Structure formats: C-alpha cells, structure tokens
Amino acid sequence: DVRRLAEHFLNRFARKYRRPARRFSDDAMARLVCHSWPGNVRELEHCVESAVVLCREAVIAADTAQSDESMVMTAVELKPKKASFGPT
C-alpha cells in the first residue's frame, strides 16, 4: 500500500535528517497514490527522502502548478504557500 509505505518512509527520514516533516498534505498523498511507481518501492523511498530533505515545513505539500506527472515529488513544495486573500 503506497500510503502506508510513504508514511513509513516519511517518519524514518524525518528522524534520520532531523527534519520537521510530519505528514503529507491530501494533495501530495493523492499524487503519491495515483503515481504508477515504475521504479517500485525504491523509487517511492527516494522520492519521499528527497521530499523530507527539501521540505521546510511540517507538511509536505503538492505543488499544484506542477503538471508533469512523471516528476511526482517535484510535486514537493519547497517553500510555504503564500496566503491568498482574493483575486490577483
């Protein structure tokens, strides 16, 4: 199950690298679950490890502007989202 593996890897790498990442946003988890993972578990593991190392927040979020499904965890947001208070 991708969800359980992703959460396992998240916890493992958050401890290993002493990072604040504690969970995936719903969007990020949806992208992980929907991805075909052609590299199998090792690809998922590497993807989550990269996300943990690069994430500055407690929640790993999906970058909704990212359209390339083959780069799922470039779906990782590297900076906090800016607050949106109406049309820009």
Side-chain angles (χ1 to χ4, degrees):
D1 179 52
V2 171
R3 182 179 302 273
R4 289 177 59 190
L5 284 169
E7 289 170 351
H8 166 75
F9 293 138
L10 171 69
N11 291 326
R12 185 170 115 200
F13 292 123
R15 281 191 311 271
K16 178 179 179 179
Y17 296 111
R18 297 180 181 169
R19 302 297 293 175
R22 295 288 174 244
R23 69 179 185 88
F24 294 98
S25 71
D26 292 340
D27 289 343
M29 184 57 77
R31 287 191 185 199
L32 290 171
V33 169
C34 290
H35 188 64
S36 64
W37 299 107
N40 211 332
V41 175
R42 288 183 191 211
E43 182 183 358
L44 174 62
E45 181 180 27
H46 177 73
C47 179
V48 173
E49 182 175 19
S50 297
V52 169
V53 169
L54 296 173
C55 187
R56 298 178 189 157
E57 303 298 316
V59 177
I60 295 176
D63 178 0
T64 56
Q66 178 66 34
S67 60
D68 183 359
E69 291 180 11
S70 68
M71 309 217 17
V72 172
M73 283 321 270
T74 58
V76 173
E77 183 155 272
L78 302 179
K79 57 185 182 296
K81 285 189 175 188
K82 294 179 182 175
S84 176
F85 297 103
T88 54

